[in-house]
Amino acid sequence: MPARDPECIFCKIIAGELASQIEYQDDQVTAFHDINPIAPVHLLIVPNKHIPSVNAVEPADEAMLGHMFTVARELAAKFGLAERGYRLIVNTGDHAGQVIFHLHMHLVGGRALGPMLAR
Ligand code: 5GP
Ligand code: ZN
């Protein structure tokens, strides 16, 4: 069993202890629907191992981190997003609005998403 934080919501989702709509799971990553979607498709792709944020990423995580992109590509295709496009977002820390401190990649699409950031 990979390292986990007993207080972490996403660790509980990965372990099946907290209900969520899981879309994909393998030995490295889990993908599930965001509970409060900002677009028609809003998935979260997370490492099964508890990594609090990008600030805690290590070289040993590189294969798993790359795998997150492969899973993102597969899910984007599955949900019909490949042609028109989608956005992958990884918030890190307070200024970025990170709320859950278990590393996650948002996969958002299904509508025109507008400019990346407000100016
Ligand atoms: P952050 O701001 O940390 O990048 O995004 C955290 C995301 O996690 C938010 O979009 C929020 O809606 C989602 N979220 C928070 N709690 C839960 C939960 O219990 N289940 C699911 N599926 N998503 C959650
Ligand atoms: Zn966690």
Side-chain angles (χ1 to χ4, degrees), residues 30-43:
T30 300
F32 50 93
H33 292 263
D34 195 291
I35 201 167
N36 189 18
I38 59 172
V41 178
H42 187 172
L43 296 163

Side-chain angles (χ1 to χ4, degrees), residues 4-8 11-12:
R4 60 171 286 179
D5 173 347
E7 305 299 318
C8 172
C11 283
K12 290 178 183 169

Side-chain angles (χ1 to χ4, degrees), residues 38-78:
I38 59 172
V41 178
H42 187 172
L43 296 163
L44 300 171
I45 303 165
V46 312
N48 292 343
K49 170 185 164 190
H50 182 84
I51 300 173
S53 80
V54 174
N55 285 336
V57 158
E58 297 175 348
D61 301 319
E62 285 174 7
M64 179 278 296
L65 294 166
H67 184 55
M68 287 172 70
F69 277 87
T70 305
V71 171
R73 187 259 292 158
E74 289 171 353
L75 289 171
K78 177 177 180 179

Side-chain angles (χ1 to χ4, degrees), residues 77-117:
K78 177 177 180 179
F79 283 86
L81 306 178
E83 188 181 341
R84 298 300 302 273
Y86 50 92
R87 192 167 288 159
L88 302 174
I89 304 166
V90 181
N91 294 318
T92 304
D94 176 35
H95 273 192
Q98 185 180 5
V99 173
I100 306 289
F101 280 81
H102 180 127
L103 180 68
H104 52 281
M105 175 188 281
H106 298 256
L107 165 55
V108 182
R111 65 170 173 83
L113 296 168
M116 185 172 71
L117 288 173

Side-chain angles (χ1 to χ4, degrees), residues 14 17-18 20-21 56-57 66 79-80 92 113-114:
I14 291 158
E17 296 166 9
L18 188 67
S20 74
Q21 202 181 336
V57 158
F79 283 86
T92 304
L113 296 168

